[in-house]
Amino acid sequence: MAFSHNSTTWFFILALFTELISPVLSSRVSSLMKRPTIAESRSSVDSYCESWRLAVEANNAITWKVVPSKCVSYLETYYSKGQFDKDYNVVSSYALAFAKTVKMGGDGKDAWVFDVDETLLSNLEYYKANSYGAEPFNSKEFSEWVVQGTTPGYDASLKLYKGLKKLGFTIILLTGRDEAQRSVTEKNLKDAGYSGWDQLLLRGHEDQGKAATLYKSEQRSRMVKKGFKLHGNTGDQWSDLQGFAVADRSFKVPNPLYYIA
């Protein structure tokens, strides 16, 4: 094929232009293909941890073992800045509002069940020293903490507890603590402002090794057989509330520090 002088000139110009812009295009394409390495921002971590906490409270994260390490700072803020107290207050207000609708029998058998740890008594100081639940649970260390008997109560639980007493409810305390810890638990509860409960149920020798849901269900069943009407139940674990012989209404208070099946 023959080329004219003009065709040859334009071909030369086009080839030269392509050679000049090729490195530029190559550089831009290369830069677009590289994935930038960006550290996860604090806001994205907090957003994840907020969603994680919701999953925990809604029991969607069943059988989790420890708090994600990246959520330790988030939980520290959750407790120290007052959001935990606000969350507990809301649950407490709903529980008391329900209690006021209960038609009392006047026979002393209208009962309300409370868990103890993280429901009436706060072990937050222990968990602060153990990375807010990001470290595996150590039963020996926790037992040593319990026998100190210095655990404080919650303002929200004290308000609910006293409100229920004023309405005439019989209070049943049902805890996973061992029978050997009865005296220190009773003293700790009284020092924290609780008094006048009817029953304090702890794990006996025959209850050792039982899953919490089974143990607490069996204890509630015994109360029902004694004639108690379980109108309400307040606990920080789903295992405090589920199973059989459940109360008419159950109220789960916040606890993103640990999970007990």
Side-chain angles (χ1 to χ4, degrees):
M1 181 182 291
F3 288 93
S4 67
H5 176 72
N6 287 339
S7 297
T8 302
T9 301
W10 279 110
F11 180 82
F12 176 79
I13 293 172
L14 179 60
L16 180 61
F17 180 75
T18 302
E19 184 66 19
L20 288 172
I21 67 170
S22 179
V24 177
L25 287 173
S26 176
S27 175
R28 288 189 176 183
V29 170
S30 177
S31 66
L32 287 172
M33 291 180 69
K34 289 180 180 178
R35 300 179 68 88
T37 302
I38 302 174
E40 195 171 10
S41 69
R42 186 71 247 162
S43 60
S44 67
V45 170
D46 287 349
S47 179
Y48 166 79
C49 294
E50 181 69 27
S51 297
W52 171 82
R53 187 175 67 83
L54 176 62
V56 164
E57 299 296 0
N59 206 28
N60 291 323
I62 296 176
T63 68
W64 56 280
K65 300 297 183 183
V66 294
V67 168
S69 58
K70 66 180 178 180
C71 294
V72 170
S73 179
Y74 166 82
L75 287 184
E76 181 178 14
T77 300
Y78 174 66
Y79 281 96
S80 66
K81 299 301 182 181
Q83 188 58 52
F84 168 83
D85 294 320
K86 292 175 183 176
D87 291 347
Y88 200 142
N89 276 321
V90 169
V91 176
S92 178
S93 66
Y94 277 118
L96 195 55
F98 163 71
K100 291 177 180 178
T101 70
V102 174
K103 186 176 181 180
M104 306 291 283
D107 56 359
K109 296 296 185 179
D110 295 295
W112 197 285
V113 181
F114 279 99
D115 171 55
V116 173
D117 290 297
E118 273 57 68
T119 301
L120 297 182
L121 298 178
S122 169
N123 296 295
L124 182 60
E125 290 303 314
Y126 171 83
Y127 284 97
K128 277 184 181 179
N130 290 273
S131 301
Y132 286 87
E135 296 177 4
F137 180 71
N138 186 309
S139 59
K140 183 177 181 294
E141 289 183 357
F142 185 72
S143 293
E144 292 171 352
W145 163 264
V146 166
V147 297
Q148 293 179 33
T150 58
T151 308
Y154 299 102
D155 290 342
S157 62
L158 278 165
K159 182 179 178 180
L160 174 59
Y161 187 99
K162 292 178 179 179
L164 293 170
K165 289 286 295 178
K166 188 175 181 179
L167 289 171
F169 282 90
T170 294
I171 304 298
I172 297 173
L173 307 183
L174 175 52
T175 175
R177 292 187 178 192
D178 291 341
E179 183 63 42
Q181 297 169 330
R182 177 177 291 277
S183 60
V184 70
T185 300
E186 288 179 337
K187 184 178 185 303
N188 197 162
L189 285 163
K190 290 174 181 176
D191 289 346
Y194 305 100
S195 62
W197 59 79
D198 185 80
Q199 308 262 342
L200 173 57
L201 308 173
L202 302 98
R203 280 184 186 264
H205 177 73
E206 69 282 3
D207 300 312
Q208 299 303 314
K210 289 181 181 177
T213 302
L214 176 60
Y215 158 67
K216 294 205 168 185
S217 293
E218 289 178 344
Q219 293 290 343
R220 290 195 304 267
S221 183
R222 293 188 183 106
M223 295 298 101
V224 171
K225 290 177 180 177
K226 290 181 179 181
F228 288 103
K229 296 180 285 291
L230 307 183
H231 295 292
N233 187 4
T234 303
D236 67 288
Q237 298 291 318
W238 286 98
S239 55
D240 297 330
L241 312 172
Q242 296 177 329
F244 52 90
V246 297
D248 294 337
R249 284 285 305 275
S250 295
F251 296 88
K252 167 75 168 63
V253 301
N255 180 8
L257 297 172
Y258 59 84
Y259 176 89
I260 298 177

